[in-house]
């Protein structure tokens, strides 16, 4: 019998979402999915432009000195670059990615302007839920593929080793036969 516990796919029934305006009706929303990670949503006139899932264990109240912090900020930087690529504003008027990151995390941590979204009131919730399930399955597939590759490599190395041993054994038998019969 094969049994698989799919608890890893269970998603909280409600997410916490905060959002900040960036420039010209464009905003970045941060959705916290407890025990899974975050989703960064780039919005243009309240329409979703891009959605990124970040599987990490960073907590809103503990963002300093975390290994994933720089990667998180780089995703925000990419979103800001997308917003500012079509904007004609001075460099000093642009928001800094790390400041955006810290402000979003502070909003979540302090409960400022937090919107709770769920399946009934948000299409974003549904998209993120499906995205995290797909992400978990992709991670499992990658692990399975890596394992299969390792098994194949070990098997190939074992076959090669066995052939080398057999060739040496046959070579030694032939050599012995030649020496015994003084044919060598």
């Amino acid at each position: 019998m094969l049994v698989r516990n799919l608890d890893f796919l269970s998603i909280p029934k409600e997410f916490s979402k905060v959002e900040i305006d960036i420039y010209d009706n464009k905003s970045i929303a941060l959705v916290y999915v407890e025990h899974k990670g975050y989703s960064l949503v780039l919005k243009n006139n309240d329409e979703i432009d891009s959605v990124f899932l970040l599987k990490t264990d960073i907590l809103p109240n503990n963002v300093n000195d975390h290994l994933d912090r720089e990667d998180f900020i780089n995703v925000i930087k990419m979103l800001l670059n997308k917003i500012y690529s079509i904007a004609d504003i001075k460099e000093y008027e642009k928001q800094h990615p790390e400041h955006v990151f810290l402000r979003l995390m502070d909003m979540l941590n302090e409960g400022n302007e937090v919107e709770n979204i769920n399946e009934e009131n948000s299409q974003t919730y549904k998209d993120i839920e499906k995205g995290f399930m797909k992400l978990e399955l992709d991670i499992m597939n990658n692990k399975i593929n890596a394992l299969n590759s390792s098994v194949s490599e070990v098997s190939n190395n074992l076959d090669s080793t066995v052939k080398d041993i057999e060739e040496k054994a046959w070579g030694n038998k032939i050599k012995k036969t030649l020496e015994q019969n003084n044919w060598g």
Side-chain angles (χ1 to χ4, degrees), residues 49-147:
D49 188 303
S50 297
V51 178
F52 289 87
L53 300 177
L54 294 93
K55 185 167 176 56
T56 179
D57 59 356
I58 292 177
L59 297 174
N61 61 350
N62 188 16
V63 297
N64 296 326
D65 301 323
H66 194 283
L67 295 174
D68 293 338
R69 177 187 166 108
E70 286 303 313
D71 292 336
F72 204 120
I73 292 170
N74 284 334
V75 175
I76 291 173
K77 181 179 181 180
M78 184 177 56
L79 294 175
L80 290 173
N81 287 341
K82 186 172 182 177
I83 291 171
Y84 294 137
S85 69
I86 56 172
D88 187 26
I89 61 174
K90 297 186 188 302
E91 189 65 33
Y92 61 83
E93 293 177 356
K94 296 177 181 177
Q95 296 189 44
H96 190 274
E98 188 169 5
H99 294 163
V100 172
F101 168 73
L102 292 172
R103 192 163 38 155
L104 288 166
M105 288 298 188
D106 281 348
M107 290 170 71
L108 276 175
N109 191 39
E110 296 166 2
N112 295 340
E113 303 174 47
V114 174
E115 177 187 353
N116 291 320
I117 60 174
N118 56 46
E119 192 171 6
E120 287 79 37
N121 70 5
S122 175
Q123 180 60 41
T124 303
Y125 175 93
K126 295 173 190 173
D127 293 341
I128 293 170
E129 180 183 42
K130 289 177 189 172
F132 266 106
M133 284 188 207
K134 173 115 176 60
L135 180 63
E136 294 287 352
L137 291 172
D138 288 346
I139 289 169
M140 280 182 33
N141 283 336
N142 287 342
K143 288 180 180 179
I144 289 169
N145 289 339
L147 181 62

Side-chain angles (χ1 to χ4, degrees), residues 25-47:
N25 293 323
K26 293 173 183 63
S27 61
I28 294 179
L30 178 65
V31 180
Y32 177 51
V33 182
E34 195 173 3
H35 305 297
K36 298 291 180 189
Y38 297 85
S39 179
L40 279 167
V41 182
L42 176 61
K43 296 172 90 178
N44 187 0
N45 291 317
D46 289 328
E47 295 292 320

